[in-house]
């Protein structure tokens, strides 16, 4: 346990840098780093970290042999050549401690209709002690925290006793390929900490996520004789209803899962984007629906895919038009496993001790119904993946009631 004087010095360094950290976070939020538009922020981040004395590796996903890894996901409507990753490394001269990866994603989901925002989504407006802006919560606050945690160590005259890789990645919101690329590129450590906004709880388990697109055809006719044609949008709605019923069946089985038995309907199905038709007075000849469905830790991705395909096929056979004009299911984006951080790792014990030191209580745990990047470290590379970070006021995925990690 560090002595009281050292902890006081470190706390003073954190406090002294806090206003700079807030300003750094505001700068992050002002970059509209949606999918395919992350490079300007990543270039800025690379300069910021280089100025701090790190060795910086800036590269794109096109420079990494991701296709050779079985857990890479197909990209969605963006080029790997424009998806920039940044790894900044502190090298310990004589390592005596445990190495660490600090990783955060800088990609954000679309802001949606701007008129629904109280403040412009990329303004980083501060009111009553809270910063408002797309990505301030998920997860640029965590990115700022990990950078300034390292700054505080230096300001306090301290230095990590082993190598630390500070990483900012893309694709967390759509494939996870950014995180995977850092591992394929060779960056390793004895633990990885991802400061997603968990409100000071450790993520014990997360569900997996699959993305797919359903393509449906129809027969376009004037609406005056609609009975002689076929409406692709209504056919797609028929398939969506079938997938809702399929998800309900999956959630019944989830009631017996070791970690998710107490979570109501942990597997979520969402038709998130719909496109179709060409004319309001013609029955639509086409419709595409981009969907998301969850899967439990331990479930096989390929088997869940087959279940979706069977569901769509069976629903199509119950429709006169679709039975003879089968819809297509295309897989793109997330093909992500669920993950459980099994209790008992040394990395978690160290984090729990730090939490107790700061908050005076045991570190709570949460079970989440959404995916994060920890799966890559824990499932495929034997590195404990710790998801633990700050508190925000955004609408993050629902979790179980906090539970003790001991």
């Amino acid at each position: 346990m560090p002595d009281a004087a050292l902890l006081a010095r470190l706390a003073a360094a954190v406090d002294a840098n806090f206003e700079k950290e807030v300003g750094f976070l505001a700068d992050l939020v002002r970059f509209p780093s949606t999918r395919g538009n992350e490079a300007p922020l990543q270039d800025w981040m690379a300069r910021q970290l280089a100025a701090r004395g790190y060795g910086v590796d800036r590269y794109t996903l096109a420079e990494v042999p991701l296709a050779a890894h079985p857990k890479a996901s197909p990209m969605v409507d963006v080029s790997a050549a424009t998806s920039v990753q940044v790894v900044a490394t502190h090298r310990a001269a004589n390592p005596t401690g445990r190495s660490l990866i600090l990783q955060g994603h800088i990609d954000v989901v679309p802001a949606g209709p701007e008129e629904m925002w109280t403040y412009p989504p990329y303004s980083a407006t501060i009111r009553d002690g809270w910063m408002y802006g797309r990505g301030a919560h998920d997860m640029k606050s965590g990115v700022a925290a990990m950078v300034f945690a390292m700054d505080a160590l230096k300001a306090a005259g301290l230095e990590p006793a082993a190598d630390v890789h500070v990483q900012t990645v893309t694709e967390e919101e759509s494939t996870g390929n950014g995180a995977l690329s850092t591992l394929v590129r060779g960056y390793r450590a004895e633990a990885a900490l991802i400061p997603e906004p968990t409100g000071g709880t450790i993520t014990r388990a997360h569900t997996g996520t699959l993305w797919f697109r359903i393509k449906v055809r129809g027969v376009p006719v004037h609406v005056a004789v609609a009975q002689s044609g076929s409406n692709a949008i209504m056919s797609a709605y028929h398939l969506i209803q079938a997938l809702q019923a399929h998800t309900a069946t999956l959630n019944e089985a989830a009631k017996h899962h070791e970690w998710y038995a107490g979570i109501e309907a942990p597997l979520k199905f969402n038709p998130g984007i719909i496109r179709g038709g060409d004319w309001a007075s013609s029955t639509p000849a086409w419709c595409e629906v981009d969907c998301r469905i969850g899967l439990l830790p331990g479930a096989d991705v390929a088997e869940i895919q087959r279940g979706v395909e069977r569901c769509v096929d069976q629903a199509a056979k119950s429709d006169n038009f679709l039975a003879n004009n089968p819809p297509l299911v295309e897989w793109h984006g997330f093909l992500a496993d669920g993950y459980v951080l099994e209790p008992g790792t040394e990395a978690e014990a160290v984090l729990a001790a730090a939490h107790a030191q700061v908050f005076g209580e045991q570190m709570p745990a949460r079970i989440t119904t959404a995916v994060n990047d920890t799966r890559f470290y824990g499932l495929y590379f034997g590195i404990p993946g710790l998801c633990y970070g700050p508190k925000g006021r955004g609408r993050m995925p629902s979790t179980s009631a906090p539970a003790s990690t001991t």
Side-chain angles (χ1 to χ4, degrees), residues 224-250:
V225 288
Q227 71 279 3
S228 66
S230 176
N231 187 311
I233 291 176
M234 295 306 296
S235 293
Y237 181 60
H238 173 67
L239 301 178
I240 288 170
Q241 289 179 307
L243 285 163
Q244 288 176 313
H246 174 67
T247 306
T249 300
L250 294 177

Side-chain angles (χ1 to χ4, degrees), residues 325-345:
N325 298 273
L328 297 177
V329 176
E330 294 182 350
W331 298 94
H332 68 172
F334 280 121
L335 295 175
D337 291 295
Y339 172 61
V340 175
L341 174 67
E342 297 291 348
T345 65

